[in-house]
Amino acid sequence: MASFGWKRKIGEKVSKATSQQFEAEAADDKDLADEEDATWVHATKRRKEILLEDCVKRSKELKDEGANLAENKRYREAIHKWDEALQLTPEDATLYEMKSQVLMSLHEMFPAVHAAEMAVQRNPRSWDAWQTLGRAQLGLGEIALAIRSFQVSLHIFPMNPEVWKEDLSWARKLHEEQKATKTEAVQALANRKELAQEAIPDYDFESDEIVAVCAAIAEKEKALTAAKTVVIVSASGTVETVTEKENCPTTPDESLFIRAR
C-alpha cells in the first residue's frame, strides 16, 4: 500500500528564467483578454444605443401616424398607433397626453383621466399635460381637482390665455353653481326636518269653550234620540209624516192600515 506524504509545492524545481517567461506570457494573455472584454462591452453598448435610436425613430413615426388619424376623427386607430409607440418609448408623456384628448372625444372619461395622470407623472413640468388632466377631471365631474390642475398649468405657463380665460374661468363658474346647489339642498333638508319635528299643538281640552261645545253637541244628540218620525200611508194613498215623542206617542186612527218607520 502506498503511503501518503506532503505534496511538493508547485514551482519548487522551476528555474528562474522559465518562471519569468511564464509570467510575461501570462501578462500578455491578460492584456489581450482585457482588450477583448473592452471591445465586447463597447460593442454591446453601441448595439443598445442603435436599438434605442431605432425605437425612438419608430415611435415618432407611429406618433405622427396617430396624430393624422386623430385629425381625421379615426380615434380608435389613432389610439392603436399610440399604444404601439408606447411599447417602444413608455416614458413619452406626449403620447399619453394625446391619447387622453382622443379618449375625451370618445366620452371615455375614466381612461382619459388615467392617461392624463400618466402624462403628468412622466413630465410634471408639462403645462399642456396638466391642462388635459384638468379637462378630463372636469368631464368626470371632479370640479375641485380640475381647478387645481388648471392652476398648476398656469403656474408652469402663466401667459397661457386659453387656460386662464376658458378652462379655469369655466371650472370656477361650475364650482360656484355646485356650491349654491348644495346650499339649497341642505337648506331644504333642514326645513323638512323642522316640519317633521314640529310639536303637536297643546290644546286645552278643559277650557270653558271646549266644555260648552261638548255640552251643546250632547243636548242635540239627546233631542234627536227623543224625537221619532213615523210615516203613515192611508188606504186612499195619502202619505203623512208624524213626529212622535217618547212621552206622548201618536196613535193612528182606525182608517190607517199601513205604518212605516
Side-chain angles (χ1 to χ4, degrees), residues 35-258:
E35 290 179 1
E36 291 178 353
D37 290 342
T39 303
W40 180 82
V41 171
H42 179 72
T44 303
K45 184 178 180 181
R46 181 56 185 162
R47 281 197 297 270
K48 288 183 178 180
E49 292 176 353
I50 294 173
L51 181 60
L52 181 60
E53 291 174 359
D54 292 340
C55 289
V56 172
K57 181 179 178 181
R58 179 55 182 162
S59 177
K60 186 178 183 306
E61 293 175 355
L62 291 169
K63 181 192 296 186
D64 295 339
E65 292 175 9
N68 292 330
L69 291 169
E71 289 178 359
N72 294 322
K73 298 184 178 180
R74 297 165 63 179
Y75 299 132
R76 295 294 180 187
E77 298 176 54
I79 291 174
H80 180 69
K81 293 292 183 181
W82 292 333
D83 285 339
E84 289 184 13
L86 284 170
Q87 295 294 325
L88 301 173
T89 54
E91 298 301 319
D92 191 342
T94 307
L95 288 169
Y96 285 105
E97 191 271 332
M98 296 167 68
K99 183 178 178 180
S100 178
Q101 291 189 52
V102 169
L103 287 169
M104 280 189 284
S105 298
L106 294 172
H107 304 287
E108 298 182 8
M109 294 305 172
F110 280 105
V113 170
H114 177 69
E117 288 176 344
M118 296 291 285
V120 168
Q121 289 176 7
R122 278 151 179 77
N123 188 5
R125 300 295 302 171
S126 173
W127 64 266
D128 50 352
W130 282 103
Q131 180 188 25
T132 301
L133 177 59
R135 289 178 175 178
Q137 291 168 334
L138 201 62
L140 201 60
E142 298 291 345
I143 300 176
L145 294 177
I147 290 175
R148 179 185 177 277
S149 297
F150 293 142
Q151 289 174 341
V152 174
S153 179
L154 280 173
H155 179 74
I156 299 171
F157 183 26
M159 302 305 294
N160 189 345
E162 185 181 16
V163 177
W164 180 262
K165 295 180 180 179
E166 297 180 13
D167 296 317
L168 187 58
S169 177
W170 174 245
R172 283 177 173 173
K173 182 179 179 182
L174 291 178
H175 188 58
E176 293 298 327
E177 293 178 356
Q178 187 183 54
K179 287 172 59 178
T181 303
K182 287 183 178 180
T183 302
E184 292 177 0
V186 171
Q187 186 62 38
L189 181 61
N191 293 338
R192 285 198 297 270
K193 287 184 177 180
E194 289 179 0
L195 292 175
Q197 296 177 356
E198 186 176 355
I200 300 175
D202 187 13
Y203 295 105
D204 186 4
F205 293 99
E206 296 183 358
S207 63
D208 296 338
E209 292 81 0
I210 298 297
V211 172
V213 171
C214 292
I217 294 173
E219 290 295 331
K220 185 176 181 180
E221 291 292 333
K222 183 177 179 181
L224 292 175
T225 303
K228 296 182 179 181
T229 302
V230 179
V231 179
I232 300 174
V233 182
S234 64
S236 60
T238 303
V239 180
E240 182 180 0
T241 302
V242 180
T243 301
E244 62 179 1
K245 296 183 179 181
E246 293 182 355
N247 296 333
C248 51
T250 302
T251 304
D253 54 16
E254 296 178 355
S255 63
L256 305 177
F257 67 97
I258 297 178

